[in-house]
Amino acid sequence: MDPDQVERIYQESNNYLSEFIKINWIVGFPAYAFGGYTFHIQVLVIVVRYFLSRNIDGAELTQRTALNLAFKLLVLTYTMTHTITLAESTDAAVCSNIPDYDFDPCSKGVSPKLMNRQLKVALKALIERLKESLLQEFEKLIRSKKKSRWGTAFCVIIIFAVVLEDLQTCIHIQADIDKHNPGTVVADDDQVQEACHRMEHEGIDWLIDLFHQSFRTHKKNDGSFDPLSDGFDSRSNPLDLAETILVDGIRTLMDTSSEYIMQKAHCHPGTDIRTFEGLNTSRIVCRFLTSFESDPQEA
């Protein structure tokens, strides 16, 4: 796939995602995508509400841009890891829905596996573009050290955590599928674990650390800004309505699900594909939430 094709697909997909995350679609996305994982849905619903309050005319452009990119990344990652799989019985219908598709008799000989691979390659390229753009916007949020950007930076990390959990689960599923396909080069369990470990500790851990350093979460009485702490003084650090609703929602969830959060934050999913997704879902999100209780660098 040449760069021009990737660019065209990126622009078309970006336009589609912009429409998808409008209010009539994104509100129902958490329950649709993560049905069965109640805590996961509750966290994302709180984040969605905050996103909708910031995604309006007159809101700060940097925050709007970061949140839009974050939700596009979430939807696109879900699409790649959960929904797109072509089978023999669906290839004709898929091709007929492609704009300007020219029938090629040779296409009858193209295997769904090859089509899947090419499609996932294209989606991966789109995801990398979105991640790069989102990280650039996240850097702007963090470098400014504006307290008014705390909520947006918090929500971006939550979405990054969800995306990473999805990708980790996808890696395990793909490795398990490869084990049952003769002739396929198969990654062993140690290689899969190492890939997931690097994604987590060279990615999300760095973002979490950067977040806490920027807002001095653990520097109590030394310029710390932590609306989730019990001693937070809202009179000297007033929050707007959107931030207040976000903080109240997260605080309530942390109080009512404290035992669940601690268990998830310290669980080890293992390598069994039958249990990995259930154990891994919300694990990194909970690690982020527990990081407010103590300095991760001291753990």
Side-chain angles (χ1 to χ4, degrees), residues 6 14 104:
V6 173
N14 194 47
D104 180 357

Side-chain angles (χ1 to χ4, degrees), residues 39 43 250 253-267 282-283 285-290:
F39 179 84
V43 171
I250 295 297
L253 193 59
M254 291 175 71
D255 288 341
T256 57
S257 306
S258 58
E259 185 176 344
Y260 175 89
I261 292 171
M262 290 302 295
Q263 288 177 347
K264 275 286 185 176
H266 297 95
C267 84
S282 296
R283 181 179 63 86
V285 171
C286 290
R287 277 189 54 218
F288 176 46
L289 295 179
T290 59

Side-chain angles (χ1 to χ4, degrees), residues 235-279:
R235 289 174 298 180
S236 58
N237 295 289
L239 304 176
D240 65 19
L241 180 60
E243 291 169 324
T244 300
I245 294 173
L246 170 67
V247 169
D248 287 348
I250 295 297
R251 275 180 173 175
T252 300
L253 193 59
M254 291 175 71
D255 288 341
T256 57
S257 306
S258 58
E259 185 176 344
Y260 175 89
I261 292 171
M262 290 302 295
Q263 288 177 347
K264 275 286 185 176
H266 297 95
C267 84
H268 300 284
T271 59
D272 188 345
I273 194 61
R274 294 169 297 180
T275 59
F276 184 87
E277 181 175 8
L279 291 173

Side-chain angles (χ1 to χ4, degrees), residues 158-210:
I158 289 288
I159 293 177
F160 258 122
V162 173
V163 165
L164 184 55
E165 291 167 4
D166 262 2
L167 290 174
Q168 288 180 332
T169 299
C170 183
I171 289 173
H172 276 77
I173 291 174
Q174 186 59 55
D176 185 68
I177 291 172
D178 289 343
K179 290 178 182 178
H180 299 89
N181 288 331
T184 303
V185 177
V186 180
D188 61 34
D189 289 342
D190 288 341
Q191 290 174 312
V192 172
Q193 290 284 74
E194 176 61 21
C196 290
H197 178 84
R198 289 183 61 185
M199 289 171 63
E200 191 166 332
H201 292 280
E202 294 179 10
I204 193 71
D205 283 358
W206 177 77
L207 293 179
I208 292 173
D209 184 53
L210 194 60

Side-chain angles (χ1 to χ4, degrees), residues 51-65:
F51 162 66
L52 294 175
S53 70
R54 287 286 185 255
N55 194 36
I56 57 175
D57 292 337
E60 184 184 318
L61 181 59
T62 299
Q63 297 195 54
R64 289 178 61 188
T65 303

Side-chain angles (χ1 to χ4, degrees), residues 88-105:
E88 294 285 359
S89 59
T90 63
D91 57 351
V94 171
C95 290
S96 67
N97 288 321
I98 299 176
D100 304 321
Y101 173 73
D102 294 323
F103 176 75
D104 180 357

